[in-house]
Amino acid sequence: MGTTLSQHQLNRALIERQMLRERADQSALATIEHLFGIQAQEPKSPYVGLWTRLNDFQPSELEDLLTHREAVRMLLMRGTIHLVSARDALGLRPHTQLRLDRELQSGPFAGRLKGLDFDEIAEAGRKILDETPQGTADAGKQLKQRWPDREHTVLGNALRNKLALVQLPPRGLWHSSGRAVCTTVENWLGRPQSAMDKEELVLRYLRAFGPATVMDAQQWSGLTRLAETFAALRPRLVTFRSESGKELFDLPDAPRPDPETPVPVRLLPEFDNILLAHADRRRVIADDRLGVVIGGKPTVLVDGYVAATWAVSKDRTITVDYIDELDRNRQKAVAEECDRLQDWIKNN
């Protein structure tokens, strides 16, 4: 293994690759693809995630991507809703199927799904949702006519896992919204799924989140057995050691900035991937603070690390709840960044 990288060095590399040191002049679509997806359980959080990374980002740009079918919202990594490009939706979704199948066998609905032919349910559900996009629970009510001994919500949940479903606009729009109405990704995009090569998946993960361990990549993706893929890629990668002695992989040409590189205050939306994409998250958030992420609180990065949470009130005023005690200059920097986001929200 190569030299040891400190947590601070890993922090600066992650901040750089996540476009949080300096706002970029590039399109929202290019950013979504570079980040390899944006966490999107909260419909409007991707807008804040793009605002904090891009110069002059306007909500209409992302709305246009969704309505023109260039980007989609769907169940992907870790079984959660992500915003991805259309190309990545078709390439990533096949890799998530095994995990979603396991969830049906051992998740909270497993007992009530026992004895069902999931492929048969999926085929029936596909016909319903491709003919008339609707919520999975609504589709479950129609499936209940065929499986009357099962709850419609349980049948709908089976569709959520077995089919590659896209949440259609207006769900996820900034200026309007709506309930989660779904159809299959193949129907929405007019193209079949085609799994991207696992080596490409790992390389793109490292581009956005490296240096990283095999376990980090598995945490981000929800996939298993990625050690074989890393082994095949080893001749194309460089390796380092973490402070705890674990092997870190990276792309030779990826940025690894000086650990003393200044980092501005940044506001992150709920569940931002920078906080969720590693097995060891200490490069950006201390272990005893993970509860704020699990609780879905938007966070404030100060010098690259989570130091506070923030919230928007009904009058669109941003308030901050500090975790750390900050000096006056840093509090001023946080207030200024909050004012910028507050003005952006009020003007859009």
Side-chain angles (χ1 to χ4, degrees), residues 59-88:
S60 58
E61 184 180 0
L62 177 51
E63 289 188 318
D64 287 345
L65 292 177
L66 290 167
T67 56
H68 294 156
R69 309 187 189 195
E70 296 179 75
V72 298
R73 296 167 42 83
M74 67 184 305
L75 206 65
L76 283 170
M77 287 75 77
R78 304 180 300 279
T80 56
I81 297 294
H82 278 71
L83 168 75
V84 293
S85 69
R87 178 175 74 94
D88 283 346

Side-chain angles (χ1 to χ4, degrees), residues 8-16 257-259 261 263 303-305:
H8 207 46
Q9 287 174 298
L10 294 176
N11 172 271
R12 290 311 193 249
L14 181 60
I15 293 295
E16 186 73 27
D258 186 295
T261 302
V263 174
D303 191 32
Y305 296 90

Side-chain angles (χ1 to χ4, degrees), residues 265 302-303 307 322 324-335:
V265 169
V302 178
D303 191 32
Y322 286 100
D324 292 331
E325 291 186 13
L326 303 180
D327 60 41
R328 185 175 298 176
N329 287 337
R330 287 185 168 180
Q331 286 191 31
K332 181 182 177 183
V334 171

Side-chain angles (χ1 to χ4, degrees), residues 276-322:
L276 297 168
H278 299 87
D280 183 351
R281 306 177 193 179
R282 290 175 298 167
R283 68 184 68 196
V284 70
I285 183 170
D287 285 340
D288 61 1
R289 298 177 180 181
L290 291 176
V292 303
V293 182
I294 296 168
K297 293 183 178 181
T299 52
V300 182
L301 296 184
V302 178
D303 191 32
Y305 296 90
V306 172
T309 61
W310 63 274
V312 181
S313 62
K314 290 183 179 180
D315 65 355
R316 298 185 177 183
T317 299
I318 293 179
T319 58
V320 175
D321 185 10
Y322 286 100

Side-chain angles (χ1 to χ4, degrees), residues 47-165:
Y47 293 87
V48 177
L50 290 169
W51 170 85
T52 208
R53 290 172 167 93
L54 297 177
N55 280 319
D56 302 320
F57 170 69
Q58 297 299 313
S60 58
E61 184 180 0
L62 177 51
E63 289 188 318
D64 287 345
L65 292 177
L66 290 167
T67 56
H68 294 156
R69 309 187 189 195
E70 296 179 75
V72 298
R73 296 167 42 83
M74 67 184 305
L75 206 65
L76 283 170
M77 287 75 77
R78 304 180 300 279
T80 56
I81 297 294
H82 278 71
L83 168 75
V84 293
S85 69
R87 178 175 74 94
D88 283 346
L90 296 167
L92 278 171
R93 182 56 178 77
H95 287 292
T96 68
Q97 192 57 56
L98 182 61
R99 184 188 189 281
L100 294 172
D101 285 345
R102 288 199 302 266
E103 187 178 298
L104 286 177
Q105 299 289 346
S106 59
F109 293 101
R112 287 178 280 174
L113 288 166
K114 192 173 181 179
L116 291 173
D117 184 325
F118 294 130
D119 291 333
E120 188 178 358
I121 291 173
E123 188 56 35
R126 181 185 298 277
K127 292 177 182 178
I128 292 169
L129 292 169
D130 283 352
E131 180 176 331
T132 306
Q134 56 195 280
T136 54
D138 296 325
K141 290 177 181 178
Q142 297 177 57
L143 293 176
K144 187 173 173 59
Q145 298 174 19
R146 185 165 167 181
W147 289 276
D149 61 327
R150 307 297 171 127
E151 301 161 70
H152 74 277
T153 52
V154 172
L155 293 169
N157 188 73
L159 297 182
R160 171 185 176 274
N161 283 48
K162 289 299 294 184
L163 296 175
L165 299 179

